[in-house]
């Protein structure tokens, strides 16, 4: 029996509005430049797809896959890159697009990894920011929503590979 209960946190309408605002800000900040968005799989795939369609400047896309979570909901702290990017980022403007900044361990790893490849600029855009849970000093440059503790699913985010398809974001309780 499924004993999971779900409570809506951000509806699709609220999400759509905020993604539009983020895209407008990014388009303004990078006006006249060519931006490469690097999405972090799997969680950011829906956010990335929505964001890029609202951005009004030319951009290219690439994806990496980083894993820090096992099957549960707590970060293992150990980050593994299971899919590399396929674009040369040297001297390019790079924006990482990620679903959630939680402890920050995953993002810290990725930022350090990308910096070694000498991009012209490197910024971070996250859909959700759990700032209070941070274990490293790292802030995102663009944040969709700040949130308190709690495990969320939907809009690309999963719990054991479930719920990614939901257009709204839910907090789940078991
Ligand atoms: P961090 O390394 O910052 O602790 O973890 C970041 C990753 O953990 C996120 O990219 C995301 O995949 C996962 N994560 C953190 N919090 C949540 C959450 O509330 N729900 C889901 N589905 N994944 C989360």
């Amino acid at each position: 029996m499924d004993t999971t209960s779900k409570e809506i946190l951000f509806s699709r309408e609220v999400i759509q509005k905020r993604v539009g605002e983020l895209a407008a800000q990014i388009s303004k900040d990078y006006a006249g430049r060519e931006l490469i968005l690097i999405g972090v799989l799997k969680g950011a795939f829906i956010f990335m797809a929505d964001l890029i369609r609202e951005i009004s400047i030319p951009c290219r896309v690439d994806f990496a896959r980083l894993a820090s979570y096992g099957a549960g909901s707590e970060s293992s702290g150990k980050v593994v890159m299971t899919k590399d990017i396929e674009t040369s980022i040297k001297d390019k403007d790079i924006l990482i697009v990620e679903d959630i900044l939680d402890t920050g361990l995953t993002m810290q790893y990725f930022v350090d990894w990308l910096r070694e490849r000498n991009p012209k600029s490197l910024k971070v855009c996250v859909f959700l920011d759990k700032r209070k849970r941070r274990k490293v000093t790292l802030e995102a440059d663009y944040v969709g929503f700040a949130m308190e503790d709690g495990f969320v699913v939907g809009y690309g985010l999963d719990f054991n590979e479930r719920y990614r398809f939901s257009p709204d974001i839910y907090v789940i309780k078991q």
Side-chain angles (χ1 to χ4, degrees):
M1 194 178 75
D2 187 356
T3 55
T4 309
S5 74
K6 294 194 299 173
E7 200 179 288
I8 198 156
L9 185 62
F10 301 114
S11 69
R12 63 197 78 182
E13 293 80 14
V14 167
I15 293 171
Q16 189 186 12
K17 181 166 177 288
R18 185 66 191 125
V19 171
E21 290 168 356
L22 282 176
Q25 187 63 52
I26 291 166
S27 307
K28 194 166 155 242
D29 293 351
Y30 288 91
R33 290 148 75 182
E34 199 194 59
L35 183 59
I36 303 181
L37 300 185
I38 301 185
V40 183
L41 296 171
K42 299 183 194 173
F45 80 107
I46 293 180
F47 175 43
M48 174 96 156
D50 281 354
L51 188 67
I52 200 163
R53 284 177 292 176
E54 295 292 327
I55 290 177
S56 57
I57 57 162
C59 14
R60 289 193 267 156
V61 291
D62 203 343
F63 292 93
R65 177 140 197 235
L66 301 169
S68 71
Y69 274 21
S73 60
E74 275 302 307
S75 177
S76 66
K78 189 169 175 289
V79 183
V80 194
M81 180 180 282
T82 55
K83 187 216 167 294
D84 197 347
I85 55 169
E86 293 161 22
T87 311
S88 167
I89 62 163
K90 190 170 179 326
D91 299 327
K92 306 277 196 236
D93 290 311
I94 305 299
L95 181 62
I96 302 172
V97 179
E98 171 65 306
D99 54 2
I100 301 189
L101 206 47
D102 187 15
T103 64
L105 291 166
T106 308
M107 188 56 76
Q108 186 67 67
Y109 171 92
F110 197 39
V111 163
D112 291 345
W113 190 91
L114 290 172
R115 276 219 181 100
E116 278 177 25
R117 279 139 190 95
N118 301 311
K120 181 158 84 186
S121 71
L122 181 61
K123 286 193 180 182
V124 175
C125 174
V126 293
F127 181 64
L128 295 173
D129 187 1
K130 294 184 185 173
R131 204 161 290 151
K132 283 193 188 143
R133 301 227 334 141
R134 207 77 91 250
K135 289 187 181 161
V136 291
T137 48
L138 190 146
E139 294 301 329
D141 301 281
Y142 303 95
V143 174
F145 300 99
M147 63 171 284
E148 299 295 316
D149 203 2
F151 196 82
V152 289
V153 295
Y155 198 62
L157 291 154
D158 76 313
F159 178 61
N160 287 348
E161 290 305 324
R162 294 163 67 204
Y163 309 118
R164 285 195 201 274
F165 58 86
S166 166
D168 309 293
I169 293 255
Y170 293 87
V171 178
I172 57 167
K173 299 189 178 92
Q174 275 196 311

